[in-house]
Amino acid sequence: MDADVVAGPPGPPWSRTAARDDRGVVTVGGVAVDALAGAHGTPLLVVDGDDLRARCRAFVAAFGPDAVVYASKAWCTTAVLQVVAEEGLLVDVASGGELATALAAGVDPARLVLHGNAKSAAELDRALEVGVGRIVVDAMEELELLDGLARARGVRAPVLLRITPGIDAHTHAYVRTGHDDAKFGFTLSLGLADAALARALDLDGLELRGVHAHVGSQVVDPDAFVANAEVLVDLLARWRAEHDLELDDLDLGGGMGVAYAAGDPEPDVAALGAAVRAAVADRAAAHGLPLPRVLVEPGRAIVGPSALTLYRTVAVKDLPGLSRWVAVDGGMGDNIRPALYGAAHAVTLAGRAPVGPAGPVMLVGKHCESGDVLATGAPLPGDVAAGDLVAVATTGAYTESMASNYNRLPRPAAVLVEDGTVRPILRRETEEDLLRRDVPLP
């Protein structure tokens, strides 16, 4: 078959085991997607288990055991957390719901890190009750609240202070978190980090373990992570000099980027780990500091490329001289990223071999919004027709976790495929599910 016509796997941005069989059908983990769609319906999230595990192992190899914390906001479902925990990762949770999911997955609470810039008293108290290993504090009010809750339970809360380091990672404004004027953390340049430290040291219910800073999301430049490490080590050195205080944990956050299209840059995890660990070691040695425990929190870089979404085409609309529109049975309800961030995903005809050259089309969903566009200029062949299967790459991160029921559409199912074995990990929602929360008027 002509390579210019058959777009898509194998190779990035598709997952490791994604390929095409001798019919031209996309396969994942040795299973053809037409069989998956036939058994489980569409839209369908398909997770490549081999890819997911390999990415976990690459981060552990790069940063060391007990140094990698999976940022579960990327995709927080019981089965995904079970896999990452099996691979030795800690888990970061950012709400009571994510905490409940991690506990349901059997994750040791001591291996959980609780995040969030507006945690409720109930969320903090639950974290103390189950023994969460680290709580990242984001505001002065939270210090006071957590101290009271911990003293009421007769415990000391293990705390990391979230620092806003003043680093602009030059990513999308909505996912840039390290610059000074951000909603997260204690801004270093304004003296808020020092004020938070002073207050934390005065509160008997808190056990200060270290610092945390996160520079943004979808960051592909390793220099941003190195700069973050250097700023935080310098801060630890100054605090030791000023307060005779040595802190153990240096949490550099996550935000490592991934390839969404062929040729996109993606961090070399081994090189990133080596650069960050060397920067921390060199800076600590220069200050005469003991080497802190380095933690990183990848989410997208773990699960993002490990999944694709299958859709069934519903209609093809040709507008001569304008555009060709291909509508599918999902859309912004199961992948809001293109509409929210202008994100681009690779797309391919998945259920058969194409005929004729590929041409750019507008791949759109079924929601009642003009902005319900999954891909602009998608390379689908001239014979694409209603009933075809289309695959969208790199949908493991921030798709299911940000999915909605807009237009009262049920959310998709998901399966995990490994070595020819298919395991459901999310059941498809039903109309009964949609109505379950409704309270009719009497």
Side-chain angles (χ1 to χ4, degrees), residues 371-389:
D372 182 21
V373 177
L374 288 168
T376 299
L380 294 179
D383 69 328
V384 64
D388 276 328
L389 286 175

Side-chain angles (χ1 to χ4, degrees), residues 44-338:
L44 180 68
L45 277 156
V46 181
V47 182
D48 183 336
D50 289 336
D51 188 273
L52 178 57
R53 292 184 188 278
R55 289 176 180 277
C56 291
R57 292 167 188 172
F59 270 97
V60 172
F63 288 94
D66 297 332
V68 184
V69 187
Y70 171 63
S72 71
K73 65 177 183 173
W75 191 0
C76 187
T77 193
T78 306
V80 170
L81 298 191
Q82 287 174 314
V83 171
V84 300
E86 287 171 6
E87 295 298 331
L89 275 59
L90 288 73
V91 176
D92 142 11
V93 295
S95 71
E98 290 183 356
L99 173 57
T101 306
L103 295 175
V107 181
D108 179 354
R111 296 177 65 79
L112 296 177
V113 179
L114 177 64
H115 276 279
N117 70 301
K119 305 179 198 69
S120 68
E123 288 170 328
L124 291 170
D125 195 50
R126 178 61 172 157
L128 294 172
E129 178 186 7
V130 302
V132 163
R134 296 171 178 85
I135 299 174
V136 181
V137 175
D138 203 278
M140 285 293 191
E141 293 87 346
E142 187 180 347
L143 285 172
E144 304 288 346
L145 176 59
L146 185 57
D147 172 67
L149 293 169
R151 286 188 290 105
R153 285 191 171 274
V155 299
R156 298 187 73 205
V159 165
L160 304 183
L161 295 179
R162 178 158 184 172
I163 309 301
T164 310
I167 297 169
D168 192 333
H170 303 293
T171 185
H172 193 287
Y174 288 3
V175 293
R176 198 166 60 230
T177 58
H179 60 299
D180 283 343
D181 193 10
K183 81 168 189 173
F184 297 101
F186 299 102
T187 305
L188 185 59
S189 66
L190 299 179
L192 299 181
D194 292 297
L197 172 69
R199 187 58 184 142
L201 294 176
D202 282 342
L203 297 173
D204 293 336
L206 306 183
E207 178 187 350
L208 189 57
R209 298 273 186 88
V211 292
H212 170 282
H214 180 78
V215 295
S217 295
Q218 188 54 12
V219 180
V220 296
D221 183 358
D223 291 347
F225 300 103
V226 169
N228 190 26
E230 291 174 344
V231 167
L232 292 187
V233 174
D234 289 349
L235 179 63
L236 293 184
R238 180 166 66 80
W239 281 356
R240 184 185 65 170
E242 294 174 357
H243 300 275
D244 192 25
L245 172 71
E246 288 187 355
L247 299 176
D248 294 329
D249 287 356
L250 187 71
D251 189 332
L252 300 175
M256 298 79 176
V258 300
Y260 280 99
D264 278 358
E266 187 171 23
D268 179 324
V269 174
L272 176 63
V276 167
R277 294 173 73 178
V280 172
D282 291 348
R283 208 77 162 197
H287 289 297
L289 275 180
L291 190 64
R293 179 189 298 111
V294 175
L295 301 167
V296 291
E297 299 176 345
R300 183 197 316 264
I302 295 290
V303 78
S306 298
L308 60 79
T309 302
L310 288 178
Y311 297 100
R312 185 81 65 182
T313 59
V314 176
V316 178
K317 183 184 296 184
D318 285 302
L319 301 180
L322 298 173
S323 299
R324 191 174 202 215
W325 300 81
V326 176
V328 298
D329 57 356
M332 65 190 298
D334 59 79
N335 186 356
I336 190 65
R337 297 186 65 260

